[in-house]
Amino acid sequence: MNGIGFNKIRNLIEEINGLESYICDVEPVEGLSNTYGHNGGINFNVLLPNNTFSKFVIRYRLVDESYTVEVSKYNSFTYNYESAIVTEEALVTIFKSVYEEISLINNLLLDKLDFKLSKDAKKDFLKLKELDKYN
């Protein structure tokens, strides 16, 4: 049993196709039943393709159907910290923007690559192009 908060947040993450591949160190958090309590949550890291990562600490509050979100971003030079209380729609938007950031970084890294084909590879490539003409 991971709790209502963990399950709700996990389901929101799964709605963003591909985001789960970049998430690691998932820790379920038990609910805390006091005046300022929450109904469980999740801690996890998101690994970015440029050797940085973001630590997420998210708690679900059943009382007002809100989420407390803390995000810490680390790289070799800086550390950023943000905190907010958000709705479910806003949390999904945060997850979407994280995945968009991952996609942008991936595209930038791919654009930097320089593909030089050997003579044999060029011949094979031309053969494949010829096969495409017949299909």
Side-chain angles (χ1 to χ4, degrees):
M1 182 179 99
N2 291 319
I4 189 171
F6 176 84
N7 294 331
K8 283 185 74 73
I9 297 164
R10 191 77 183 164
N11 289 337
L12 294 175
I13 291 169
E14 289 172 357
E15 285 181 20
I16 312 301
N17 220 5
L19 177 60
E20 209 167 359
S21 301
Y22 293 91
I23 292 178
C24 65
D25 303 328
V26 176
E27 302 170 355
V29 176
E30 299 270 333
L32 184 63
S33 59
N34 62 21
T35 307
Y36 302 106
H38 56 78
N39 299 90
I42 188 171
N43 300 338
F44 61 87
N45 293 328
V46 175
L47 297 176
L48 300 172
N50 61 351
N51 296 325
T52 63
F53 73 94
S54 295
K55 172 86 175 164
F56 283 78
V57 176
I58 306 171
R59 304 292 180 267
Y60 173 67
R61 294 184 38 147
L62 186 61
V63 175
D64 57 359
E65 294 276 326
S66 66
Y67 298 84
T68 59
V69 180
E70 298 175 23
V71 181
S72 305
K73 295 184 178 187
Y74 303 89
N75 67 31
S76 55
F77 303 110
T78 60
Y79 163 78
N80 295 324
Y81 173 81
E82 298 173 37
S83 177
I85 297 175
V86 299
T87 64
E88 188 169 297
E89 294 80 21
L91 185 58
V92 170
T93 301
I94 291 170
F95 290 152
K96 286 180 180 178
S97 66
V98 167
Y99 189 68
E100 186 175 317
E101 180 181 359
I102 291 168
S103 297
L104 288 170
I105 293 170
N106 276 334
N107 288 337
L108 288 171
L109 292 173
L110 285 173
D111 288 344
K112 287 182 180 178
L113 294 177
D114 185 23
F115 294 103
K116 294 183 180 176
L117 297 176
S118 67
K119 289 180 183 177
D120 290 337
K122 286 180 184 177
K123 288 178 187 175
D124 291 341
F125 190 65
L126 289 172
K127 287 178 187 176
L128 288 172
K129 279 187 173 182
E130 286 296 318
L131 288 174
D132 278 345
K133 289 180 183 177
Y134 299 110
N135 291 332

